[in-house]
Amino acid sequence: MAIFDPNEKPDENLWDRQSEYLAEIWHDPLEAMAVADSMYFQTNNIWSEWEAMAPGRRKGRRPNLHSGRARALIDQAVNSHLPITPSWSRIPVHDTTESKSKADRLENGFRIVFSDAMTQSHILSSRVNGKQLILHNYTQLGVFLDESNLRKPVKRKGEKTEDFEQREWEWSSKHNTYNPLKLVVPEPGEVLMNPFDKHPDIAIRKRKMKAFELTDFTTARGERADNDNRGQFRGAFAKVFGMGAKDAYEDVEVEEWWSSRWYGLRTMEGEVLVMEPNLRGIQPFTQCWGGSPIMPTGAEWNLSWWVKQSLIFQEKDTLVMLDQANVAHHQLLQRAAWARRGTSGDPAEVASQDDDDWLSGEKNDVWLEDTPSLPGQS
């Protein structure tokens, strides 16, 4: 649960406390997720334990090669069991034809809207959720309202009529076919929430925005508050981000506060740029743990145990041993295939004959060095 009233308008102190609180909870789980990612993306060091026995002397002495088993293990599970478009189910309130018909209409409505939202996204959110769930035993989903074409443009101060009419025409052409929902699957660590609630009161999101995007965003938020004739944004604050010497495409790290009552945005240096009422009335992020995570008996509580019940951790040791076996076999094969030659005569003379198809001399004058035999199972 939150350490204060989530309906409060956060000040600097409350924001700092909640951010630090969630960062501490998620530190170990995110490290465990990084281990799983290293397996999937084939960047893990399969000789780390061997190298640790003699730090410095053994590092980098053995090839760090990987097979595609770890990635195939995850992708196969996702592709075999998770549909591109999820199904929707609404249980009728009453056992009547009318109630069932209403439930069916609601199911179809959700299916159409969310299926279209997935096709409008650059990713298939259901597949990404499934991959994270199998890889990390945990996943998140953000459902946002696309405000870009929600409100009809308002003429800005000093804006030329032809420029305003162009913006108005662009809005009209998009508004007729746009989907109001945007689906976002955060990267691990991007959004931090109370891990024990499926839909927590507060979410802290850390992300990067281009300098020009941040300037445009804060400018639009300020204009919206200034044009608020109905008092919806009472108490809102917006400060335009000044790029200064920054390049327009330079990344700026920001942190967002999301609750059902308030939305805030600040730089990682702590400068608050936006604080306004959240008119949507919802905290847009939700989360899910896979299966039924448990703790080992007698172990000290740590959230990383839940992450370590993912499929990749169950196979971690086996995958490492198989990669090590492949490397060892490859090294033996290389030594046998490219064994050095020895001679009882002049090595320079034998070397000079490498360009010819024939070697002169007695059979026993030239030999191959002895190499370890390949194991029987190879």
Side-chain angles (χ1 to χ4, degrees), residues 117 171 314:
W171 176 86
Q314 297 175 35

Side-chain angles (χ1 to χ4, degrees), residues 18-306:
Q18 184 72 357
S19 183
E20 293 168 2
Y21 164 71
L22 292 174
E24 182 180 356
I25 290 178
W26 282 100
H27 178 270
D28 290 348
L30 288 173
E31 285 193 344
M33 290 181 189
V35 172
D37 290 341
S38 70
M39 301 286 293
Y40 181 82
F41 290 103
Q42 302 175 342
T43 59
N44 62 302
N45 182 4
I46 63 175
W47 305 108
S48 58
E49 293 185 6
W50 178 77
E51 291 178 355
M53 296 177 187
R57 291 193 296 111
R58 291 183 173 180
K59 187 173 179 60
R61 290 180 57 187
R62 292 181 178 177
N64 189 40
L65 306 178
H66 305 82
S67 70
R69 285 188 181 91
R71 178 169 294 188
L73 185 70
I74 301 301
D75 290 349
Q76 175 65 20
V78 174
N79 296 334
S80 299
H81 301 289
L82 293 172
I84 294 177
T85 303
S87 59
W88 294 87
S89 178
R90 167 71 175 181
I91 300 176
V93 178
H94 304 290
D95 189 16
T96 63
T97 302
E98 180 182 3
S99 186
K100 292 177 181 178
S101 178
K102 289 181 178 179
D104 290 341
R105 289 198 297 271
L106 191 60
E107 288 177 2
N108 290 331
F110 273 114
R111 178 178 56 81
I112 292 170
V113 171
F114 274 84
S115 295
D116 181 71
M118 289 181 189
T119 58
Q120 297 295 333
S121 176
H122 67 288
I123 59 172
L124 291 173
S125 57
S126 60
R127 287 296 181 92
V128 178
N129 281 140
K131 184 172 290 189
Q132 289 183 346
L133 203 56
I134 294 174
L135 187 60
H136 302 144
N137 205 38
Y138 174 81
T139 190
Q140 299 173 336
L141 179 67
V143 181
F144 289 87
L145 190 64
D146 184 1
E147 299 181 359
S148 60
N149 292 290
L150 186 62
R151 294 181 176 85
K152 192 172 183 178
V154 177
K155 190 172 182 181
R156 298 166 179 163
K157 296 178 181 178
E159 184 178 20
K160 295 181 180 179
T161 301
E162 55 267 28
D163 292 338
F164 170 67
E165 291 177 346
Q166 177 67 23
R167 287 198 304 117
E168 195 173 35
W169 178 86
E170 291 174 354
W171 176 86
S172 298
S173 64
K174 294 179 181 179
H175 182 74
N176 293 330
T177 57
Y178 99 112
N179 190 323
L181 296 184
K182 290 180 67 175
L183 303 180
V184 175
V185 181
E187 299 296 328
E190 179 182 341
V191 176
L192 301 182
M193 298 179 281
N194 173 19
F196 310 113
D197 289 338
K198 189 164 188 176
H199 193 79
D201 296 323
I202 296 169
I204 302 292
R205 185 186 187 188
K206 298 179 181 181
R207 63 186 179 116
K208 293 180 180 179
M209 299 178 70
K210 298 299 181 184
F212 78 90
E213 292 177 332
L214 186 55
T215 299
D216 290 347
F217 179 80
T218 52
T219 300
R221 283 300 198 267
E223 291 177 349
R224 187 168 70 175
D226 292 340
N227 296 323
D228 178 27
N229 298 321
R230 293 183 292 176
Q232 292 178 303
F233 290 95
R234 187 178 291 109
F237 166 81
K239 177 181 179 181
V240 176
F241 175 75
M243 287 190 289
K246 292 182 180 293
D247 182 83
Y249 288 90
E250 183 176 340
D251 287 329
V252 181
E253 294 186 1
V254 298
E255 186 176 68
E256 294 175 306
W257 172 283
W258 281 102
S259 72
S260 60
R261 294 286 185 89
W262 292 95
Y263 167 78
L265 179 143
R266 69 179 183 179
T267 64
M268 296 307 294
E269 290 74 29
E271 182 183 12
V272 178
L273 299 177
V274 176
M275 182 58 66
E276 64 184 20
N278 180 8
L279 297 186
R280 304 168 197 172
I282 62 169
Q283 186 278 100
F285 294 101
T286 188
Q287 61 188 351
C288 176
W289 290 96
S292 51
I294 60 174
M295 282 287 298
T297 303
E300 183 179 353
W301 165 254
N302 193 302
L303 193 60
S304 63
W305 284 113
W306 287 13

